[in-house]
Amino acid sequence: MSERNGSTAVRGATLLDVAERAGVSRATASLVLRDTGRVSEATRQRVRDAMAEVGYVYNRSAAAMRSNSTKTIGILVTHIGNPFFGELIGGLQEALGAAGYSCILASSGDDAAQQDRAIAELRSHKVGAVAIVPATTSRQDYSRELNELELPHVMLTRHSGDLGAPFVGPDNVLGGRLAMAHLIEHGARSFAYLGGSLAIHNRTERRRGMQDALAAAGIPTTALVDLPSGRGSQDGLRVGLELIDTHPLPDAILCHSDNIAFGVYRALRLRGLATTVRVTGYDDIATAELWEPPLTTISTRPAAIGERAAQHLLDQIEHGVNEGFVVMTPQLVIRESCGCTPDRLDALDATAPVV
Amino acid sequence: MSERNGSTAVRGATLLDVAERAGVSRATASLVLRDTGRVSEATRQRVRDAMAEVGYVYNRSAAAMRSNSTKTIGILVTHIGNPFFGELIGGLQEALGAAGYSCILASSGDDAAQQDRAIAELRSHKVGAVAIVPATTSRQDYSRELNELELPHVMLTRHSGDLGAPFVGPDNVLGGRLAMAHLIEHGARSFAYLGGSLAIHNRTERRRGMQDALAAAGIPTTALVDLPSGRGSQDGLRVGLELIDTHPLPDAILCHSDNIAFGVYRALRLRGLATTVRVTGYDDIATAELWEPPLTTISTRPAAIGERAAQHLLDQIEHGVNEGFVVMTPQLVIRESCGCTPDRLDALDATAPVV
DNA sequence: CGATCCGGTACTTAAAACACA
DNA sequence: GTGTGTTTTAAGTACCGGATC
């Protein structure tokens, strides 16, 4: 076993080693490395061979120091474990990787202080930009703060209300409208919107879409009961029970997320009300189609949002253009919880003619 | 809007700026920064004030270059979106952060080639060590390869069979034994183990634990049917249907993961067999207690594994000691799918006396 | 406290190759 | 054949910002 501890790290081969082996100068080797400059093909190949022979590993730190820029992007989300963010990150990493950038991930735990620490962390790594899902408790003009730090950025999924700030996220108004319109088509006339934090704009946006749909169908907005909650399935259970125990049962429940819907399912079963109410979710997580009944939901295609966000950042740092507020079209994924399978919720459909 | 593009990044304040403002030398400022050396408290405070005033941001690249070490650790997992890994990463980041290290995350998509690329990426960032969930298709002696790269590391959750390699993961033998023993206590006498890849050691280990429990109860090992599958819930549905359609229905089904159990639940419902078979999962994901019936499962406490892995790495890079193969104790989480609620599966318990 | 070092990068300079009058 | 101009190719070197002596 070789001697190895914090103080005696072995230095690897440098560009100078490569250059000497290839019989060229360090500068030339650098040009070959970056595929730029005017170097003959024969020399290029010799340098590349030399790199392979000595097991050369690029030193980003050295490059960053001189050029004061790194091909590195920071990604900051609230909860790494959230599958939605997992897909989002996947889309981002893939698109950024294809453009030659590497990513550093950080997680804020949805806490503003930790978020500040993470940003400092990323800045000390000299990231060229950050893609950030802002913490719920972020300061209102957070985007401007980042601008003052000269840090190109794009907000993901959540925005702070400033429509001039760089942002990529789902069209929540449309998503809310799609879900509500579908339930109205099924004949539902009374509704509850369960879950989600009032502090987040996407909730008010979805609500607006829902009310647009109600208005279009000539249904009074008072037909929509509204109960917020935390973001876990447990919160969905809690708020589901709250609805059942303190309100008349609506024809349909629109859940703020699939996770919430999961808790609501359980609340309905606990009260013996399973499959007596139409339910929709939001997000379309991987297991949604395996539930009982399979969940009708709104897909926001997080990977596509990630790819678009990568584009947004690249446009900023490579072309200096800021695309501003970008909204992505969600999709209604129809399964069975809305009542779309006749042999499952036919009792409901019998009393409410499908339009 | 300020002019900002790839080529005209603004340089921030340096340690020299801080030093001049505080009226000390750069060397002194460096000592204050790292909380070392003999510097008077008055000077320390002056330097700290100066840092705050000029908005100083530590430049890790510069530090890394000189000291050839970064307080940065790489974390490489197969799927960032997997909630299990999310918790694992959370535990790692917290423990490493407390020790003054920052983390860089990468994802291999469970592909060996991508894993190689990610390792190269992390090496170019000069990480001091990596915590890695190896891809299923990793080469057998992967740990030795990393040793040859002089890269301290610890394998997480999965190991390659080399018990001398640095590893932290759950005790799969015990986990399998706990689940099986509990089902046997319930009176079950025929079993199926569903899901999981044969290529991964943890599967054979859990199976060994299950057979230990069978042997201890005097039940022949042929009482355990074994069907592997992919890792998603959809795979669980597939393998669940396969079991139901091609085998006699066992008393109990042990699932390789909660995700698999989810698909198995659906398979049982589709065949009209819901709550006629005892089911256990593995992992204890957040929603498991909300299922119908709430899932009895084995908790591997991924956050604890992450913390332990952080300790493992710190021991290597700071004290030069390698703790080798470390195994964490899992816990049986009893809910209802095993038959533990009398009023739910009492039909089962009537025919099979609880020990 | 000043000097030096780490390993790439950006810029300057220069040699060689080629074109064309 | 010679001289001048242009392009291609490669070398030389200052420099970035902390850490160390």
Side-chain angles (χ1 to χ4, degrees):
Chain A
M1 177 77 63
S2 66
E3 203 70 15
R4 178 206 309 139
N5 56 44
S7 55
T8 61
V10 177
R11 281 187 189 276
T14 75
L15 254 195
L16 188 57
D17 300 327
V18 171
E20 280 173 0
R21 187 174 188 103
V24 300
S25 74
R26 190 161 54 138
T28 302
S30 177
L31 293 174
V32 174
L33 186 65
R34 288 172 291 145
D35 264 324
T36 52
R38 322 195 70 78
V39 181
S40 72
E41 193 48 50
T43 309
R44 284 210 127 83
Q45 200 49 54
R46 253 184 324 159
V47 172
R48 290 209 186 91
D49 290 346
M51 283 183 189
E53 284 163 21
V54 302
Y56 174 71
V57 177
Y58 184 65
N59 185 332
R60 286 192 134 75
S61 298
M65 174 125 63
R66 173 64 222 231
S67 65
N68 195 34
S69 75
T70 61
K71 285 255 185 180
T72 306
I73 304 274
I75 302 178
L76 178 50
V77 300
T78 53
H79 299 275
I80 293 182
N82 186 325
F84 178 89
F85 294 140
E87 281 189 56
L88 191 71
I89 291 165
L92 263 165
Q93 277 195 326
E94 197 160 330
L96 290 172
Y101 287 79
S102 79
C103 300
I104 297 185
L105 246 95
S107 176
S108 69
D110 205 15
D111 174 71
Q114 240 180 289
Q115 178 172 277
D116 290 342
R117 246 171 290 142
I119 287 289
E121 184 68 36
L122 292 173
R123 288 220 294 155
S124 80
H125 277 287
K126 292 273 169 204
V127 297
V130 290
I132 173 171
V133 179
T136 315
T137 53
S138 285
R139 293 169 291 280
Q140 275 296 313
D141 52 352
Y142 193 58
S143 182
R144 206 178 28 173
E145 276 185 48
L146 294 176
N147 277 335
E148 278 164 19
L149 297 176
E150 303 281 349
L151 191 56
H153 60 277
V154 62
M155 304 281 187
L156 302 173
T157 317
R158 302 173 183 175
H159 62 87
S160 50
D162 173 7
L163 299 190
F167 170 82
V168 177
D171 186 337
N172 284 301
V173 178
L174 178 56
R177 181 142 50 86
L178 287 172
M180 180 61 90
H182 184 68
L183 291 169
I184 292 173
E185 273 180 28
H186 267 298
R189 288 297 175 266
S190 59
F191 309 87
Y193 180 31
L194 299 192
S197 161
L198 291 176
I200 305 181
H201 277 269
N202 61 14
R203 191 174 200 286
T204 53
E205 289 170 357
R206 289 183 203 171
R207 233 198 100 122
R208 186 158 70 241
M210 291 174 195
Q211 293 188 327
D212 290 351
L214 287 176
I219 301 173
T221 56
T222 53
L224 177 59
V225 171
D226 192 326
L227 298 176
S229 81
R231 58 178 194 82
S233 291
Q234 293 291 352
D235 300 303
L237 168 57
R238 237 182 329 264
V239 75
L241 292 175
E242 181 185 343
L243 173 76
I244 296 168
D245 295 342
T246 65
H247 293 76
L249 197 66
D251 294 338
I253 298 174
L254 301 100
C255 298
H256 183 73
S257 70
D258 291 353
N259 261 336
I260 294 290
F262 209 98
V264 168
Y265 268 35
R266 178 130 187 89
L268 290 170
R269 282 195 303 269
L270 284 174
R271 292 291 186 263
L273 298 169
T275 70
T276 65
V277 185
R278 299 173 199 279
V279 177
T280 60
Y282 212 103
D283 289 343
D284 194 28
I285 65 177
T287 54
E289 66 179 303
L290 296 170
W291 300 6
E292 182 57 36
L295 184 69
T296 292
T297 188
I298 301 288
S299 167
T300 49
R301 298 182 301 140
I305 292 176
E307 282 168 38
R308 190 68 185 76
Q311 192 57 54
H312 201 294
L313 282 181
L314 293 174
D315 282 349
Q316 284 184 62
I317 59 183
E318 291 189 345
H319 312 122
V321 302
N322 187 330
E323 300 179 82
F325 200 87
V326 174
V327 125
M328 307 276 291
T329 305
Q331 279 170 335
L332 176 67
V333 179
I334 297 175
R335 299 206 178 89
E336 301 179 14
S337 65
C338 55
C340 262
T341 302
D343 61 316
R344 181 176 294 276
L345 292 182
D346 44 9
L348 287 172
D349 281 330
T351 62
V354 174
V355 178
Chain B
M1 180 74 63
S2 67
E3 203 69 17
R4 176 203 315 139
N5 57 45
S7 56
T8 62
V10 177
R11 279 187 191 276
T14 74
L15 209 45
L16 187 57
D17 300 327
V18 171
E20 280 172 1
R21 190 175 187 101
V24 299
S25 74
R26 193 162 52 142
T28 306
S30 178
L31 293 175
V32 174
L33 185 65
R34 287 171 293 141
D35 266 326
T36 52
R38 316 198 134 281
V39 183
S40 76
E41 193 47 49
T43 309
R44 282 206 129 81
Q45 201 49 53
R46 259 204 336 253
V47 172
R48 291 213 183 89
D49 291 346
M51 283 182 188
E53 284 163 21
V54 301
Y56 173 72
V57 177
Y58 184 64
N59 186 332
R60 285 191 135 71
S61 300
M65 174 124 62
R66 175 62 219 230
S67 63
N68 194 36
S69 76
T70 62
K71 287 256 185 177
T72 306
I73 304 277
I75 303 177
L76 178 50
V77 300
T78 52
H79 298 277
I80 292 182
N82 186 324
F84 179 88
F85 294 141
E87 281 189 57
L88 191 72
I89 291 164
L92 263 166
Q93 276 195 327
E94 198 160 329
L96 290 172
Y101 286 78
S102 79
C103 301
I104 297 185
L105 244 96
S107 177
S108 68
D110 207 14
D111 175 70
Q114 241 180 287
Q115 178 171 277
D116 290 342
R117 246 172 288 142
I119 287 289
E121 184 68 37
L122 292 173
R123 288 220 295 157
S124 80
H125 278 287
K126 289 276 169 204
V127 296
V130 289
I132 174 171
V133 179
T136 314
T137 53
S138 286
R139 294 170 290 281
Q140 276 295 314
D141 52 352
Y142 194 57
S143 182
R144 206 178 30 172
E145 276 187 49
L146 294 176
N147 278 335
E148 277 163 20
L149 297 176
E150 303 281 348
L151 191 57
H153 60 278
V154 62
M155 305 280 186
L156 302 173
T157 316
R158 302 173 183 176
H159 61 89
S160 50
D162 174 7
L163 299 190
F167 170 83
V168 177
D171 185 336
N172 285 301
V173 178
L174 178 56
R177 181 141 49 87
L178 286 173
M180 180 60 89
H182 184 69
L183 292 168
I184 292 173
E185 274 179 29
H186 268 299
R189 288 296 176 268
S190 59
F191 309 88
Y193 180 30
L194 300 192
S197 162
L198 290 177
I200 305 183
H201 276 270
N202 61 16
R203 191 174 201 286
T204 50
E205 289 170 354
R206 289 183 202 171
R207 234 198 99 122
R208 188 159 67 239
M210 291 174 196
Q211 293 188 328
D212 289 351
L214 287 176
I219 302 172
T221 57
T222 53
L224 177 59
V225 171
D226 192 326
L227 298 175
S229 80
R231 56 178 196 81
S233 291
Q234 295 289 354
D235 300 303
L237 169 57
R238 239 183 326 267
V239 74
L241 291 175
E242 181 186 344
L243 172 76
I244 295 166
D245 296 343
T246 65
H247 293 75
L249 198 66
D251 295 337
I253 298 174
L254 301 101
C255 300
H256 183 75
S257 70
D258 291 353
N259 262 337
I260 294 290
F262 207 96
V264 169
Y265 268 35
R266 178 133 187 88
L268 289 171
R269 282 196 303 269
L270 284 174
R271 292 291 185 264
L273 297 170
T275 69
T276 65
V277 185
R278 298 173 200 278
V279 177
T280 60
Y282 212 104
D283 290 343
D284 193 28
I285 66 177
T287 54
E289 65 178 305
L290 297 170
W291 300 6
E292 182 56 36
L295 183 69
T296 291
T297 188
I298 301 288
S299 168
T300 49
R301 299 183 301 138
I305 292 176
E307 282 169 38
R308 190 68 185 75
Q311 192 57 54
H312 201 295
L313 282 181
L314 293 174
D315 281 347
Q316 284 185 64
I317 58 184
E318 292 189 346
H319 312 119
V321 302
N322 188 330
E323 300 179 82
F325 200 86
V326 175
V327 124
M328 306 277 291
T329 305
Q331 279 170 335
L332 176 67
V333 179
I334 298 175
R335 298 206 178 90
E336 301 180 13
S337 65
C338 54
C340 261
T341 303
D343 61 316
R344 180 175 297 276
L345 291 184
D346 44 10
L348 288 174
D349 281 329
T351 62
V354 174
V355 178

